[in-house]
């Protein structure tokens, strides 16, 4: 992973365009998570325990396969005229995010009280929900509160580009 991307991730945010580029290039999260914690040990974004690190990697892989692939559809120029494909992608993202919501009834962040790589990965998508035309139901209220906690981090807001700032109302 490039040094600049590691630094962005460690600040608790990663502009979605960069994240999407990483995923599209097939680099994914494999390896970069380890190197970032070795090079910048605080805050640690990956758990110290090997079993917990493996669980985080599995969650990240699931995010790639079950969420971000549909974001690619929403971002794709080829899909812009295909409203059926766009709505299918929105519905899939809406359903998956709603399934995540109960986690935040008990947890401040995805891994409990600690901000982690999972939070870094999901934050750009949550920031862009309005932009993508994704409305979550009341069942997702805990997820939306969680998103506001992430967005209230000064480093997150400072890192947004002007075009990213206007993506959220």
């Amino acid at each position: 992973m490039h040094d600049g991307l590691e630094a962005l991730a460690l600040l608790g945010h990663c502009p979605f365009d960069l994240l999407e580029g990483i995923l599209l290039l097939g680099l994914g999260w494999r390896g970069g998570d380890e190197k970032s914690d070795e090079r910048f040990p605080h805050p640690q974004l990956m758990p110290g325990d090997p079993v917990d690190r493996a669980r985080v990697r599995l969650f990240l892989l699931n995010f790639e396969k079950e969420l971000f692939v549909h974001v690619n559809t929403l971002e794709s120029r080829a899909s812009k005229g295909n409203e059926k494909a766009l709505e299918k992608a929105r519905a899939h993202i809406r359903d998956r995010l709603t399934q995540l919501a109960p986690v935040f009834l008990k947890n401040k962040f995805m891994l409990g009280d600690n901000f982690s790589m999972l939070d870094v990965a999901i934050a750009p998508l949550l920031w862009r929900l309005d932009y993508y035309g994704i409305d979550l139901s009341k069942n997702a209220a805990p997820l939306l509160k969680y998103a506001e906690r992430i967005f209230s981090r000064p480093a997150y807001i400072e890192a947004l580009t002007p075009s990213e700032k206007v993506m959220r109302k």
Side-chain angles (χ1 to χ4, degrees):
M1 191 184 262
H2 294 26
D3 291 342
L5 295 177
E6 288 177 351
L8 285 172
L10 289 170
L11 289 173
H13 54 275
C14 184
F16 194 78
D17 295 333
L18 295 177
L19 178 63
E20 185 180 18
I22 293 167
L23 296 173
L24 288 175
L25 290 173
L27 299 175
W29 299 98
R30 299 155 209 59
D33 51 9
E34 301 292 328
K35 293 177 185 173
S36 64
D37 276 347
E38 288 172 12
R39 186 156 184 206
F40 304 103
H42 187 73
Q44 187 173 0
L45 294 175
M46 290 295 285
D49 178 56
V51 173
D52 290 340
R53 265 197 314 271
R55 283 189 186 122
V56 168
R57 282 193 207 99
L58 184 59
F59 273 113
L60 291 170
L61 181 63
N62 284 336
F63 285 175
E64 265 183 75
K65 292 183 176 186
E66 297 187 17
L67 284 172
F68 301 143
V69 68
H70 299 290
V71 171
N72 291 341
T73 300
L74 296 174
E75 293 276 341
S76 170
R77 289 191 175 123
S79 299
K80 291 300 180 198
N82 188 348
E83 196 57 41
K84 192 180 259 186
L86 293 172
E87 192 48 45
K88 184 177 178 182
R90 287 183 191 108
H92 196 83
I93 291 170
R94 183 182 312 112
D95 293 346
R96 291 294 180 222
L97 290 176
T98 302
Q99 289 174 350
L100 276 176
V103 168
F104 304 105
L105 289 171
K106 297 178 184 175
N107 295 336
K108 184 175 179 182
F109 297 109
M110 287 210 181
L111 291 181
D113 290 334
N114 299 321
F115 190 77
S116 73
M117 188 66 77
L118 295 175
D119 304 298
V120 170
I122 200 81
L125 173 58
L126 297 175
W127 180 264
R128 293 178 179 209
L129 288 175
D130 289 338
Y131 178 76
Y132 291 139
I134 299 171
D135 295 317
L136 297 177
S137 70
K138 291 180 182 179
N139 294 337
L143 176 75
L144 295 173
K145 283 185 177 182
Y146 156 76
E148 292 304 321
R149 272 194 302 277
I150 291 176
F151 304 152
S152 68
R153 297 170 72 96
Y156 190 87
I157 300 301
E158 290 171 18
L160 294 171
T161 65
S163 61
E164 288 171 320
K165 287 180 182 176
V166 299
M167 290 179 172
R168 185 168 166 83
K169 297 173 186 172

